[in-house]
Amino acid sequence: QVQLVESGGGLVQPGGSLRLSCVASGSIFSIGVMGWYRQAPGKQRDLVATITSGGSTNYADSVKGRFTISRDNAKNTVYLQMNSLKAEDTAVYYCNAAARPAVVRGWYDYWGQGTQVTVSS
């Protein structure tokens, strides 16, 4: 049906930047809200940022002013530009999308496999 594949994670020093990408593929009729979530070891998965198909964005307070979410609807891709990274940003980052498959009725929630972001000196 719909697959999400993230890329762009890695190891970065505090104050550095990373850009995550997530591509949705498969038999897709339409994609609604896309977003990024993160989960640190021993903690729950938390919202980082979301973006609607029209470009409206929402951010967790902890990343406002440092992270920017964007999307390319023609490429079914969502990005997360992360600047001024801190040690507490270390987590597995997951891509999420609400999508309507081409062959099945209804909207469904999809997740990527996650990409590790480690902020350390």
Side-chain angles (χ1 to χ4, degrees):
Q1 293 186 4
V2 179
Q3 299 81 39
L4 302 179
V5 178
E6 303 105 332
S7 61
L11 173 64
V12 63
Q13 292 186 344
S17 298
L18 280 175
R19 189 192 195 208
L20 305 183
S21 300
C22 172
V23 180
S25 63
S27 300
I28 302 170
F29 181 81
S30 183
I31 300 178
V33 176
M34 301 185 80
W36 292 93
Y37 292 73
R38 66 186 181 186
Q39 187 168 20
K43 296 188 176 182
Q44 66 180 19
R45 189 175 297 187
D46 291 327
L47 168 73
V48 175
T50 61
I51 184 167
T52 68
S53 57
S56 296
T57 59
N58 178 55
Y59 295 93
D61 288 342
S62 59
V63 306
K64 282 181 181 177
R66 300 188 298 122
F67 291 10
T68 302
I69 189 170
S70 60
R71 67 190 280 175
D72 185 331
N73 291 330
K75 296 181 179 179
N76 289 339
T77 301
V78 63
Y79 306 96
L80 186 68
Q81 177 66 43
M82 304 185 293
N83 299 328
S84 303
L85 282 161
K86 306 174 181 179
E88 50 264 44
D89 294 318
T90 295
V92 178
Y93 283 70
Y94 295 91
C95 176
N96 172 263
R100 181 180 172 186
V103 296
V104 179
R105 274 188 165 184
W107 289 81
Y108 299 86
D109 207 33
Y110 295 92
W111 293 91
Q113 81 287 352
T115 185
Q116 177 70 46
V117 172
T118 302
V119 184
S120 175
S121 55

